[in-house]
């Protein structure tokens, strides 16, 4: 596996994000003493609630709130949520991973990208 410099990695990750539709803004990161309310994320185009997750290549994607069978989700919009392995036995992060390579079974649940379900006004 090749190691990329920071500029090359950013260019590569941005190209992947553009192709995958992973162009969401990161969730706010409140400080430990911040007790203010954080509204759930919503789509700026249609106003629907979304789940925003980091991808496995350091970008963010808006996902639908429900899982659907793979047969109902076109291939470019299929995502899975994976637990990021850390040094601790407690899961510290969940990342969104695009379903590629091996197609899931038709009945296997996947998380569709919100873009597939977005209904613009």
């Amino acid at each position: 596996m090749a190691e990329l410099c920071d500029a090359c990695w950013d260019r590569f990750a941005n190209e992947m994000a553009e192709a995958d539709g992973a162009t969401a803004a990161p969730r706010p990161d409140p400080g430990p003493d911040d007790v203010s309310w954080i509204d759930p994320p919503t789509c700026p185009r249609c106003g629907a609630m979304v789940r925003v997750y980091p991808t496995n290549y350091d970008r963010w994607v808006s996902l639908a709130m429900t899982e659907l069978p793979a047969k109902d989700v076109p291939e470019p919009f299929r995502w899975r949520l994976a637990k990021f392995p850390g040094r601790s036995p407690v899961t510290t992060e969940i990342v969104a991973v695009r379903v590629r390579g091996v197609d899931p079974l038709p009945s296997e649940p996947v998380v569709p990208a919100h873009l597939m379900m977005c209904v613009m006004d």
Side-chain angles (χ1 to χ4, degrees):
M1 187 97 187
E3 193 168 320
L4 301 175
C5 68
D6 289 342
C8 292
W9 169 251
D10 281 340
R11 186 172 49 251
F12 176 69
N14 288 340
E15 288 171 4
M16 283 183 58
E18 190 66 34
D20 291 343
T23 56
R27 293 183 302 226
D29 188 18
D33 297 329
D34 188 3
V35 295
S36 61
W37 179 258
I38 298 175
D39 290 327
T42 57
C43 174
R45 294 170 20 169
C46 69
M49 289 180 58
V50 295
R51 297 189 285 178
V52 178
Y53 282 99
T55 65
N56 56 328
Y57 48 88
D58 300 327
R59 299 302 182 262
W60 294 77
V61 63
S62 296
L63 300 177
M65 297 297 288
T66 60
E67 292 183 343
L68 294 173
K71 66 179 180 177
D72 295 338
V73 180
E75 186 178 333
F77 299 104
R78 294 177 185 162
W79 291 81
R80 283 200 178 99
L81 298 177
K83 297 175 183 173
F84 191 79
R87 297 181 186 265
S88 167
V90 177
T91 302
T92 56
E93 189 71 41
I94 295 177
V95 295
V97 179
R98 267 268 285 118
V99 177
R100 298 176 198 244
V102 179
D103 286 335
L105 296 172
S107 62
E108 192 173 343
V110 295
V111 181
H114 172 71
L115 187 58
M116 181 191 105
M117 303 177 85
C118 188
V119 180
M120 293 184 287
D121 291 336

